[in-house]
Amino acid sequence: MARVFNFSAGPAALPEPVLRECAEEMLDYRGSGMSVMEMSHRSPLYQSIIDDAEATLRRVMGIPANYHVLFLQGGATLQFAGVPLNLMRHGRAGYVVSGNWSQKACQEARRYGSAEVVASSEGTGFDRVPEFPSDLDQSLDYLYLCQNETVFGNMMRDFPDAGSVPLVADVSSCFLSLPLDVSRFGLVYAGVQKNAGPAGVTVVIVRDDLVQDGPALGVCPSYMDFRLEAERGSMLNTPNCWGIYVCGKVFRWVEEQGGLEAMEARNLAKVGPLYDYLDHSALFSPSVLPGHRSIANVCFRTGDEALDGEFVTGAAERGIANLKGHRLAGGMRASCYNAVPQEAVDALLAYMSDFEARHLPRTRPI
Ligand code: PMP
């Protein structure tokens, strides 16, 4: 068995011990005689699995007691609608547009009301986090942002001061990569397929007072009604039983590794040398300004599309997989999520300097 160094942006690398444990329990989950995939979600045994996943996540993230934790389906994309359907009580929300995902969320919200762009870095190709507005209209229903822009590779370390307007954050691609003060937000959500499990589970963490009166919009499907989902323990219907089970194991793995501070330190130790290399390279250049760079998605390019392609193909031949940038951004992207080991980054750095040494003469003016 040969496992590659996997820099996929998502679905992405999972911790090997978790994969092994899943394999061991595949046919017979702890003496039950069945796989978790074959188990009723209404059984006490499955209830213990989902309860344990939630309790572990609450410990790992330090989620305050007045927040509901939901395990839903439909990906992060469904939450582009779920957020306005539940929170747009007066028909107006503000959006910070820092890249592809907040732009998509903003467009989707316009199906339900007025979604106003209050800050954007589109003008500079999303090479940074936009400057936050200083005097936010306090009549907005919420202020939406995407903490880590997976496609373009920028990340917010600070958040806007929104006054009494609830902050809503899509944290999909930095979920569990670093500590997050949940109490600053009205709602945070994440698709789990980058750092926390297989695709098909979205974790929604929402402050109870925001949903206690039910969804803002009457057309909200029951499935997306956060109050109802909270009342039913994320089991209004059949949940993604298997996915939640794997997430629970990843949450435990994060806890055993030392929690979110340890994850942040490890991730910085991975991406720091990559950014440093890029800042000093004569061939490659980083796509995002210092101070705005993602802890997970390192985006870079040579400036020559054919050379970028050659780099990605050559990497794959060496077992360094999934470096091609998103089609909207071009170039390369090395996604260094929690389960990507330091050795993967070391191998990538070695390959980059080898590639640079071989190709630099070609790119220099004669
Ligand atoms: N938000 C962010 C930040 C993402 O990175 C992605 C997917 N890469 C999405 C939303 C959409 O997620 P999904 O495919 O689970 O709907």
Side-chain angles (χ1 to χ4, degrees), residues 9-11 74-80 100-102 104 144 146-151 170-174 189-194 199-202 297 326 333 337:
T77 299
L78 189 55
Q79 299 314 323
F80 298 167
N100 181 54
W101 298 111
S102 35
K104 281 213 153 98
Y144 183 101
C146 174
Q147 186 185 4
N148 185 75
E149 164 50 43
T150 325
V151 170
D170 172 359
V171 300
S172 296
S173 47
C174 57
Y189 72 91
V192 302
Q193 68 267 30
K194 288 104 173 42
V201 179
T202 310
N297 313 101
H326 190 279
R333 171 176 53 175
Y337 299 126

